[in-house]
Amino acid sequence: MSHASHVEDSQRWIDQVMARIIENLGLDVDKARYEISKSINFIMTTMYYVRLQFKNKTNDQNEELSMVLKRPMKNFIYITRIDLQFDNEILFYRTYVQPNEMHFYARCYYAEKRSPTDFVIALENVNERGYHSCSYLHNAPFEYTLAAMRELGRFHGKGYVMKELQREKFFDVVARLQESRWEVGNVFVVHSNVKATRSLEYLRRQGHDAAFCDRMEACFTNAFDEVIMKIIKPVEPLATMCHGDFLLSNILFKADEGGRYCAMLIDFAVIRYSTPVVDLSTYLYNCCSIEEIREKFFDILRAYHDALMEYLLDAGVQDIEKYSYNALLDDFRRGALFGFIVASYFLPAMLGYLKPEVIVQDIISLGSLGSAKKQKYAGGDEVCKILADILLHLRDLGCLKHIL
């Protein structure tokens, strides 16, 4: 498609979508007009930033809404099953978010599957509320991590409360979620199996204990089956709705009047019913430095757990012993390798050694296996050492006992 044809197609799509959004607002609207301030291609999604102006005939006032339209890029839709990811996010906004929770999330103005390859999700631009993305993808100031943990505790707590008080509705949502990442043949699976062993190769070169490396390598050469699939299975009673991609790039922040940071989660494309360690370990080992993990691990976990307990008590949950700090710590030790495997894939990108567009182009041109082999050592020994240090930290924390 030529550039001119692409622009024309995009404008036609936006016109159709905005007409539906205006209709969906349910307001007595007159003189509606909109302008696009910018559009961004982010990995496999196009985002249009739109400002909608109209006259509300109910109160005779001129009003304005700022929103972001998300649309999958059709050429890439089946590479990482972004079609299923849009299905999941639409499900999240339509059925999981409650009307009284709008202050926790971006308001969803409109969400629709227009065809098997065309979706739209129109969300409030929460920059207008003071929320902004973090300028760090890795090793952000500690205040950001504490804010992220507090919001994750609230998010997981909502899952527990809904599971107890609206059990049928909760499990109806769970049953309708689709696996869009950890399935046989998915690019994430292939890359995880290939890249998980790079830390062990580094440890061998440093003369580390061969027996340790041998045992871990036997596990990591099939990281998908031996680690990922075993950990993501929901284990009661701690299983809850997990974000599934809990990284700094999917969290927005703002400072309150006292200077304390608040967080808001975005991008619910890979939400899943699992245990807290899936989100906690993903954040810790992809977004925190190894020095911070060593020094502040228990502070981080405590911030999460305190927020979780506060939410449960405020919601009137009586039986909170099953969500105790020790139960959480046991769950973390059981499954923290999940975050390590994810880091083996994502960390080079977090540190700037791999650009998202390069990752996608390699997958297109070389396939899943070829791109995994090409990218395995991105970042060189710096990334290898970080991953090795994470693995040794997991050992020292007691997270590898079931393997060793």
Side-chain angles (χ1 to χ4, degrees), residues 46-58:
T46 300
M47 294 183 288
Y48 302 96
Y49 288 74
V50 179
R51 191 168 292 277
L52 172 64
Q53 299 172 316
F54 56 90
K55 183 174 184 178
N56 187 338
K57 292 194 289 185
T58 303

Side-chain angles (χ1 to χ4, degrees), residues 42 44-47 68-72 80-98 102 104-113 119-124 126 155 158 173-174 176-181 241-245 249-252 264-272:
F42 181 70
M44 300 178 194
T45 301
T46 300
M47 294 183 288
V68 180
L69 310 184
K70 296 174 62 175
R71 180 190 193 188
T80 59
R81 296 315 308 260
I82 199 170
D83 55 328
L84 302 183
Q85 294 182 29
F86 267 76
D87 278 334
N88 286 340
E89 189 156 23
I90 289 172
L91 177 68
F92 175 83
Y93 282 110
R94 283 182 176 174
T95 66
Y96 195 68
V97 178
Q98 304 299 308
M102 286 299 104
F104 290 124
Y105 305 102
R107 179 183 174 187
C108 183
Y109 294 116
Y110 180 65
E112 182 185 14
K113 182 176 184 176
F119 301 74
V120 59
I121 300 175
L123 298 172
E124 169 193 8
V126 293
F155 183 75
K158 170 191 162 56
V173 175
V174 169
R176 293 164 64 188
L177 291 174
Q178 301 182 74
E179 183 56 67
S180 60
R181 177 168 290 180
M241 192 68 78
C242 294
H243 184 278
D245 201 16
S249 55
N250 291 325
I251 310 170
L252 304 179
M264 175 184 286
L265 307 190
I266 58 172
D267 195 351
F268 300 94
V270 291
I271 55 171
R272 67 181 320 111

Side-chain angles (χ1 to χ4, degrees), residues 121-176:
I121 300 175
L123 298 172
E124 169 193 8
N125 183 350
V126 293
N127 292 161
E128 305 289 325
R129 282 202 250 161
Y131 284 96
H132 296 276
S133 58
C134 181
S135 58
Y136 301 81
L137 291 179
H138 179 80
N139 197 22
F142 190 54
E143 292 80 5
Y144 286 87
T145 289
L146 291 178
M149 289 299 115
R150 289 191 293 267
E151 183 56 23
L152 183 64
R154 190 208 63 79
F155 183 75
H156 287 170
K158 170 191 162 56
Y160 292 134
V161 171
M162 191 173 177
K163 189 168 74 168
E164 291 202 13
L165 304 183
Q166 297 176 284
R167 190 171 184 84
E168 185 175 346
K169 181 177 180 179
F170 178 82
F171 281 106
D172 177 66
V173 175
V174 169
R176 293 164 64 188

Side-chain angles (χ1 to χ4, degrees), residues 200-372:
L200 297 172
E201 295 171 24
Y202 175 83
L203 287 173
R204 290 185 192 279
R205 293 198 301 271
Q206 303 303 310
H208 197 78
D209 177 47
F212 171 84
C213 294
D214 289 344
R215 290 193 187 97
M216 297 310 301
E217 187 170 9
C219 174
F220 287 175
T221 50
N222 189 12
F224 172 62
D225 287 328
E226 295 299 323
V227 180
I228 298 297
M229 291 307 293
K230 291 181 179 179
I231 293 170
I232 62 174
K233 290 179 180 178
V235 177
E236 302 299 346
L238 287 184
T240 187
M241 192 68 78
C242 294
H243 184 278
D245 201 16
F246 190 60
L247 302 167
L248 280 167
S249 55
N250 291 325
I251 310 170
L252 304 179
F253 298 89
K254 76 170 183 179
D256 62 20
E257 293 181 357
R260 188 194 203 203
Y261 281 100
C262 305
M264 175 184 286
L265 307 190
I266 58 172
D267 195 351
F268 300 94
V270 291
I271 55 171
R272 67 181 320 111
Y273 184 52
S274 190
T275 50
V277 69
V278 165
D279 288 337
L280 288 166
S281 65
T282 294
Y283 184 95
L284 275 169
Y285 300 125
N286 288 272
C287 301
C288 298
S289 70
I290 186 61
E291 291 78 18
E292 185 170 81
I293 294 169
R294 287 169 176 157
E295 295 173 11
K296 304 287 184 65
F297 172 79
F298 293 103
D299 295 332
I300 293 169
L301 220 59
R302 182 61 69 181
Y304 164 84
H305 188 258
D306 286 349
L308 170 65
M309 289 295 102
E310 181 180 356
Y311 186 88
L312 295 177
L313 291 170
D314 286 348
V317 175
Q318 300 297 319
D319 182 16
I320 62 171
E321 183 58 32
K322 58 188 175 185
Y323 309 118
S324 70
Y325 180 81
N326 286 336
L328 170 70
L329 190 56
D330 287 344
D331 179 63
F332 189 89
R333 289 190 170 111
R334 177 192 67 85
L337 266 178
F338 179 91
F340 172 82
I341 300 300
V342 174
S344 297
Y345 181 100
F346 278 128
L347 196 58
M350 298 292 171
L351 295 174
Y353 291 109
L354 279 174
K355 300 297 183 185
E357 57 270 22
V358 173
I359 295 173
V360 172
Q361 191 53 54
D362 281 349
I363 293 169
I364 293 171
S365 59
L366 302 174
S368 296
L369 183 59
S371 60

